Amino acid sequence: MSWYILFSIISLIICLTSLWFHLFRLIRFGHVKEFSYKTGDTKAAVRYAFTGAMSPAKKESAFLHLPTYTAGIFYHLGTFLCILLFILFLFGIEPAGWIRSVVIGFLLVTGMSGLSILIKRIANMELRALSNPDDYISNILVTAVQLLTAGILYYGAIAPVYFIAVSLLLLYLPLGKLKHTLYFFAARYHLGIFYGWRGVWPPK
Amino acid sequence: MQNLTNEIVDKGLEVLNGHMDGKLLTHLNSCVHCGLCADSCVYYQAQPDARFIPAKKVDLVASIYRRYKTTTGKIFPGLVGARELNRETIDEMIDLLYGACTMCGRCVSHCSVGVDISYVVRKGREMLANMGFVPRTLQSTVDAAIQTGNNMGIATQEFIDTLKWLEEDLQYEVNDDTATIPLNEPGKDILYTLNPREPKFFPLSISAMAKVFFAAKESWTLSTQMYDVTNYAYYSGNLQEAAIIAQRLHDEMLKLQAKTCVLAECGHGSRAFRWEGPNYIQKNYPFEVITSVELLAKYIREGRIRLDPAKNRDKVTLHDPCNLARSGGIWKEQRYILKEAVSDFVEMNPYGLDNLCCGGGGGQLAMSEYNERRMKIGELKAEQIRKTGAKIVATPCHNCVDQLSQLNVTFKLGVQIKTLVEIVADALVLENR
């Protein structure tokens, strides 16, 4: 096994362990004890938080910003695909034939989406004011991995660069805002509990 | 402003230490700084400025969390935008968390991730309250409630005198000497609360409710000792003071052995007692708590009162108080009531759970130093009202009534602002007794 593949495996283990620590801490801190009387259905509200409430039609952050929202959706789909491909690569599995071409094309689109979000963050004065170095580093790492994943499928010789980039991403993920990988789900869950308890969600 | 010692800073950080839970931990770690929440905030809509983006308010609190509670923030604060809790940070927190947020929660449901932004703002206010940095204007309202039992400092005798003339007025209006405003009567089904603005400035809303109770043949009473539905400590973030105020109403319910506590038309008061109160005092209430909006809807649904919508012919629109609708789930009931009580009802756009805050929430009405901002964001509401062409704006919240009344004058809307019960009382069909 090449040193860079081994490095990426070690990075993956560190990343998963760190994320596990975050998850464990979330569970250990637990819920806020609620003393008021529940009037709604929290289970239905949590389901709604992950489904209907996520609909672009329900969110101004989506329907008022369709280009950014669409780029964000593609960007995240690209990230999930890259994680899947990375795992497959470790097992020596690669897409072939037309599937490979489609994946490369898709990842180029998602990588460009990431790049456009980065450019927006740099160009927009208000977003710049909201950003810190972590915002830029996170975007650059994820975008780079998406483009390098497309690259390695096209030209295998860049494997060392690809695996080092993936390793850096995995090592950085639990440190900055990329840990929303985990906290996103917790946020939707808590929002569902909050609104469900009071009967706000799901809408009557 | 007081000197900032390490002891004071530690009191602020206590919110992130001792009071940490899974929910707070989640919301402090979830914002991705996408900035897409900006357009959902009335402050940003009224004054497009990066400082007013809701994510910025979250980041103020989260940056302190990162500085003191995360390894990355301790070692590389600049990398993750971790900030010291120093004078500069505190000044910014006061300005943005108290002065540029009504905690209306509109940004929350529109957040691309699902960060409970108003919850984080409340936690930021808790930090400031722990350190003694509540704006004096807001604190004085809390102090009045703590010291006198109501936030307007109304003397008990003055309150009783007001109720006595309202009772005489009621008897005259319904032409029945048995119509009363019962005071401190134990064992009644309902203990009705008031917003102190009612006896002070809007006594007709009390007589309107008394008229409805009379028509519904309700068993009810008012307390002269603890009738204040408001809890401005919910806004200031001082949990100890919020608990004192909630405990008083809880104790009054037990003393008078009432079955149900009915909360007057007050958005934050309803939220503070019904939803937050049990958490402030760390126990369940051994009695039922409902809002007067739910009670009015129930009376109509059960046929306990009869309404004639023809008595309210002017076009009516409705402003939803954020704490009642978005954070309390009560937004269908007021529409049901209005559809029964008026002949011409029109919605604002947007409305209901997505309604725009009027600008009077979050303690803004008490903090005169932010009046200019408050009126600026209120202009959005004024335009919403104007577009409906309504002659009457109904709202089940006395804070909103106050803000809307000021908007009415400032922006020359030429409308009447009414509470729901006033509209219901106007439409009442009284039986001959």
Side-chain angles (χ1 to χ4, degrees):
Chain A
M1 186 185 286
S2 313
W3 66 269
Y4 48 80
I5 296 181
L6 186 65
F7 181 40
S8 70
I9 292 171
I10 293 169
S11 302
L12 178 63
I13 293 167
I14 292 172
C15 177
L16 291 176
T17 308
S18 304
L19 285 180
W20 173 250
F21 161 75
H22 280 284
L23 179 63
F24 174 75
R25 202 170 53 144
L26 266 180
I27 295 167
R28 186 169 60 86
F29 275 121
H31 277 276
V32 187
K33 177 140 176 58
E34 182 59 62
F35 288 92
S36 64
Y37 287 108
K38 186 165 80 167
T39 59
D41 181 348
T42 46
K43 281 182 186 165
V46 170
R47 278 197 299 276
Y48 179 74
F50 283 99
T51 53
M54 292 288 291
S55 151
K58 296 276 183 195
K59 284 170 173 285
E60 287 180 350
S61 55
F63 65 76
L64 292 180
H65 303 272
L66 275 178
T68 306
Y69 174 75
T70 311
I73 291 289
F74 273 100
Y75 192 39
H76 281 81
L77 289 175
T79 307
F80 297 138
L81 181 60
C82 286
I83 293 166
L84 175 69
L85 287 168
F86 170 65
I87 305 292
L88 292 177
F89 292 160
L90 291 180
F91 287 99
I93 303 167
E94 277 186 34
W98 67 269
I99 296 178
R100 191 177 70 150
S101 304
V102 170
V103 169
I104 290 173
F106 183 70
L107 287 177
L108 286 175
V109 171
T110 65
M112 287 302 134
S113 299
L115 209 55
S116 68
I117 291 170
L118 178 65
I119 291 167
K120 185 182 173 188
R121 190 175 287 284
I122 294 166
N124 184 303
M125 200 175 66
E126 289 177 354
L127 262 184
R128 229 170 34 235
L130 199 60
S131 306
N132 55 52
D134 174 40
D135 294 303
Y136 299 102
I137 293 169
S138 300
N139 185 305
I140 289 168
L141 278 173
V142 175
T143 304
V145 164
Q146 293 193 11
L147 294 175
L148 284 168
T149 306
I152 195 176
L153 286 170
Y154 182 72
Y155 186 58
I158 65 162
V161 180
Y162 165 78
F163 279 102
I164 289 169
V166 172
S167 303
L168 290 177
L169 173 62
L170 290 169
L171 288 174
Y172 188 74
L173 192 146
L175 301 178
K177 77 167 189 180
L178 290 175
K179 56 182 183 287
H180 76 268
T181 309
L182 171 73
Y183 285 101
F184 166 81
F185 297 98
R188 301 303 306 173
Y189 168 78
H190 281 293
L191 212 54
I193 295 287
F194 173 76
Y195 284 132
W197 191 272
R198 300 167 180 216
V200 181
W201 279 1
K204 295 166 205 164
Chain B
M1 193 182 276
Q2 60 175 305
N3 287 330
L4 192 61
T5 62
N6 287 341
E7 263 184 349
I8 291 173
V9 169
D10 287 344
K11 282 183 185 171
L13 294 175
E14 179 58 26
V15 174
L16 304 177
N17 293 321
H19 303 165
M20 183 60 88
D21 54 62
K23 182 177 174 179
L24 182 56
L25 188 66
T26 293
H27 293 303
L28 289 173
N29 279 290
S30 299
C31 181
V32 295
H33 300 159
C34 69
L36 299 179
C37 49
D39 295 311
S40 305
C41 174
V42 284
Y43 280 93
Y44 182 85
Q45 279 186 44
Q47 289 173 282
D49 179 329
R51 290 182 310 138
F52 295 144
I53 299 175
K56 180 69 189 169
K57 297 160 196 170
V58 169
D59 198 55
L60 260 178
V61 183
S63 65
I64 297 163
Y65 159 78
R66 290 195 291 268
R67 177 66 186 83
Y68 294 94
K69 302 297 290 179
T70 70
T71 311
T72 323
K74 283 175 188 169
I75 302 171
F76 307 111
L79 175 71
V80 291
R83 290 178 67 163
E84 295 272 348
L85 186 54
N86 54 25
R87 176 53 53 99
E88 188 192 348
T89 309
I90 289 170
D91 285 346
E92 204 175 335
M93 286 172 79
I94 293 169
D95 185 51
L96 294 183
L97 304 185
Y98 283 117
C101 181
T102 60
M103 303 194 291
C104 77
R106 191 166 189 277
C107 52
V108 178
S109 53
H110 288 294
C111 170
S112 57
V113 172
V115 181
D116 193 339
I117 297 161
S118 48
Y119 178 72
V120 177
V121 168
R122 273 172 63 201
K123 288 292 168 183
R125 288 189 180 196
E126 267 180 54
M127 291 173 72
L128 291 166
N130 276 7
M131 293 186 289
F133 289 113
V134 176
R136 252 179 299 172
T137 43
L138 178 57
Q139 187 57 48
S140 65
T141 309
V142 179
D143 291 344
I146 298 279
Q147 286 157 17
T148 69
N150 68 85
N151 75 34
M152 306 219 83
I154 303 166
T156 307
Q157 194 52 50
E158 183 189 340
F159 178 61
I160 293 170
D161 291 345
T162 304
L163 294 175
K164 283 298 160 199
W165 74 254
L166 285 173
E167 186 176 78
E168 287 166 21
D169 197 47
L170 172 72
Q171 289 170 352
Y172 176 78
E173 190 180 350
V174 300
N175 194 23
D176 190 329
D177 289 346
T178 64
T180 57
I181 297 181
L183 300 180
N184 305 317
E185 293 188 10
K188 295 294 178 114
D189 288 344
I190 285 174
L191 173 68
Y192 185 60
T193 60
L194 298 172
N195 183 314
R197 277 191 167 83
E198 294 179 79
K200 194 82 176 171
F201 305 120
F202 307 104
L204 293 182
S205 70
I206 303 174
S207 45
M209 195 67 199
K211 190 175 164 187
V212 171
F213 280 140
F214 171 76
K217 302 184 181 70
E218 188 58 87
S219 151
W220 71 291
T221 189
L222 273 173
S223 161
T224 54
Q225 294 307 305
M226 181 57 201
Y227 55 85
D228 185 354
V229 70
T230 71
N231 191 337
Y232 270 73
Y234 161 74
Y235 288 143
S236 72
N238 186 320
L239 299 185
Q240 290 76 33
E241 290 176 338
I244 290 170
I245 294 168
Q247 184 74 50
R248 280 182 185 164
L249 188 50
H250 167 274
D251 292 348
E252 195 66 11
M253 277 295 294
L254 297 188
K255 192 178 96 184
L256 292 175
Q257 300 155 26
K259 289 178 191 152
T260 303
C261 180
V262 175
L263 305 168
E265 296 183 49
C266 178
H268 94 272
S270 299
R271 176 176 181 167
F273 190 67
R274 183 180 193 167
W275 299 113
E276 315 298 342
N279 300 318
Y280 291 147
I281 65 172
Q282 295 282 292
K283 59 185 171 198
N284 304 117
Y285 296 147
F287 46 79
E288 187 189 23
V289 180
I290 61 168
T291 62
S292 60
V293 178
E294 293 164 286
L295 185 70
L296 291 172
K298 185 172 166 241
Y299 284 160
I300 299 168
R301 217 173 273 127
E302 293 176 354
R304 288 182 66 179
I305 57 173
R306 279 200 306 127
L307 304 181
D308 178 5
K311 291 185 172 187
N312 287 315
R313 287 187 182 282
D314 284 334
K315 186 187 272 192
V316 178
T317 190
L318 173 67
H319 166 68
D320 285 290
C322 308
N323 279 310
L324 204 64
R326 204 156 26 234
S327 296
I330 296 169
W331 67 285
K332 292 267 185 187
E333 288 82 351
Q334 48 267 48
R335 285 166 175 76
Y336 170 69
I337 292 166
L338 285 177
K339 279 168 188 165
E340 295 290 324
V342 306
S343 46
D344 190 2
F345 172 64
V346 59
E347 289 282 12
M348 292 187 203
N349 182 31
Y351 68 92
L353 298 180
D354 209 26
N355 193 29
L356 297 183
C357 175
C358 63
Q364 299 304 325
L365 277 168
M367 295 184 280
S368 51
E369 59 269 49
Y370 301 116
N371 275 353
E372 201 181 321
R373 274 187 201 164
R374 173 166 63 81
M375 294 313 283
K376 190 99 182 156
I377 63 171
E379 195 171 356
L380 300 169
K381 177 57 63 182
E383 276 314 301
Q384 264 194 306
I385 293 168
R386 206 190 302 277
K387 281 178 187 165
T388 64
K391 293 272 176 241
I392 295 172
V393 182
T395 185
C397 171
H398 279 278
N399 273 8
C400 297
V401 166
D402 241 21
Q403 168 75 348
L404 293 172
S405 301
Q406 291 184 41
L407 297 180
N408 193 19
V409 173
T410 306
F411 299 106
K412 300 182 173 56
L413 296 174
V415 294
Q416 270 185 286
I417 316 294
K418 288 188 169 185
T419 56
L420 277 186
V421 73
E422 287 169 322
I423 289 175
V424 168
D426 286 345
L428 264 181
V429 179
L430 291 173
E431 292 170 23
N432 289 326
R433 300 194 185 200

